[in-house]
Amino acid sequence: MKSAFAYTPGRSPLHRARPGAAIAYLGALAVVGFIYSSPLVLLAAIVATALAGFAAGAGRAVRASLRLAIPLLIFMVVVNALVTHRGETILVRGWDTPVIGNTDVTLESIAAGAAIGLRVVAVILAFAVYSACVDPDRVLRVLRPLARRSAMTAGLVTRMVPLAAADGTRMREALALRGPGAGPVGRAAMARRLVEGSLDRAVDVAATLELRGHSLPSRPQPRRERSRDDLPLFATGAAILALGIAARLAGAGAFDTYPRIELGTGGLTIALCAALIALAGVPFWVRRWRSRG
């Protein structure tokens, strides 16, 4: 079974544009998640990235990343509530211990942990959509003239990791199909067999690359690729980045947790959230408009 994060060919703007354009678009959404702490803005960035992923046909990657990121969000909320005891709104009155100290649980510590977790969700989601929509071979061709060996390593990693995950899935399915009289197989044995198979594949890949002349010194000429989706993605990414920075400097997305929670819900913040979601759909609307014309 193919991993949800593995690249799947498609005809969306993220698939057909050059890697630099897709990275500029998704990177702008990820940057918004880094520069804001407001849950409203972070939720808007998450919704915008998820909608872009679904529009690009990467729904499996979106759902898989959310299954991975939401437990991390909950974990960060719990950890921050147990470690940080600042804030005026005490929800659970704890006690003082010699080593841990105060164990009060405050609403402000929970809100701070939720903001950190939402930022992680936004970034993971952006990388998941990138992994499912951007062809690693095209990324390799772009990076090859700059750093040939590093680009080759990165390209092989992006291909081998999904293959290793698929091998693990097939091995678990094979174990489940064995008869009731078969002996149990521990995780250590499974991991050893998976590593052995990965090493065998690595040897085969190395031999194939050597036969194709990748070990010979050469200076490849970069292939120039152009796509009609490059400009909408570049322009949308620049607009999202500029809007996010300008709104941040103007005071949008204000959020303070200590000593009390103060969440900015002014018109500028709401407009920023709506604009992020609307801008995320621009490349897909442009593609649909061109296809109708």
Side-chain angles (χ1 to χ4, degrees):
M1 182 178 179
K2 193 173 184 180
S3 172
F5 300 110
Y7 169 73
T8 303
R11 299 184 61 82
S12 73
L14 289 176
H15 288 87
R16 298 178 67 88
R18 287 182 294 178
I23 292 172
Y25 171 78
L26 295 173
L29 291 171
V31 168
V32 171
F34 277 111
I35 64 178
Y36 284 92
S37 298
S38 171
L40 294 177
V41 181
L42 292 174
L43 284 173
I46 291 171
V47 171
T49 308
L51 291 177
F54 281 114
R60 286 186 63 223
V62 172
R63 290 188 290 267
S65 63
L66 290 178
R67 287 194 297 268
L68 172 67
I70 290 178
L72 288 176
L73 186 154
I74 298 173
F75 176 75
M76 291 180 181
V77 170
V78 172
V79 169
N80 199 70
L82 296 177
V83 173
T84 306
H85 311 291
R86 300 164 56 192
E88 296 182 355
T89 309
I90 299 177
L91 300 178
V92 178
R93 178 71 66 179
W95 56 88
D96 293 330
T97 59
V99 178
I100 301 177
N102 187 9
T103 58
D104 292 342
V105 177
T106 65
L107 179 63
E108 288 77 13
S109 64
I110 293 177
I116 298 172
L118 287 174
R119 180 178 289 115
V120 172
V121 173
V123 175
I124 289 178
L125 193 57
F127 276 99
V129 176
Y130 163 83
S131 177
C133 296
V134 181
D135 189 354
D137 290 337
R138 299 181 69 186
V139 177
L140 176 62
R141 286 198 295 268
V142 172
L143 297 178
R144 189 180 181 188
L146 304 176
R148 185 183 179 192
R149 294 184 179 180
S150 299
M152 176 65 69
T153 302
L156 291 176
V157 168
T158 56
R159 285 302 185 94
M160 292 302 182
V161 170
L163 286 176
D167 287 345
T169 301
R170 286 192 293 266
M171 291 174 63
R172 286 192 296 269
E173 292 175 352
L175 288 175
L177 294 174
R178 298 192 309 163
V185 178
R187 293 185 177 181
M190 283 279 294
R192 184 176 64 252
R193 294 173 185 175
L194 184 60
V195 171
E196 290 174 354
S198 299
L199 292 176
D200 291 338
R201 181 181 285 114
V203 173
D204 295 338
V205 170
T208 303
L209 292 175
E210 186 175 1
L211 289 174
R212 292 187 177 185
H214 285 276
S215 61
L216 301 176
S218 62
R219 184 168 296 181
Q221 297 296 327
R223 288 174 49 185
R224 293 188 176 182
E225 301 179 356
R226 296 184 182 276
S227 172
R228 298 178 65 187
D229 298 304
D230 291 346
L231 182 58
L233 286 174
F234 272 123
T236 304
I240 291 174
L241 187 60
L243 177 64
I245 295 175
R248 188 74 180 92
L249 294 176
F255 181 64
D256 292 322
T257 53
Y258 304 112
R260 288 186 177 182
I261 297 176
E262 296 181 3
L263 177 62
T265 57
L268 187 59
T269 301
I270 301 301
L272 172 63
C273 296
L276 288 176
I277 298 175
L279 284 173
V282 168
F284 304 94
W285 295 334
V286 171
R287 162 60 73 84
R288 182 174 298 181
W289 176 73
R290 286 176 174 173
S291 62
R292 289 179 178 177

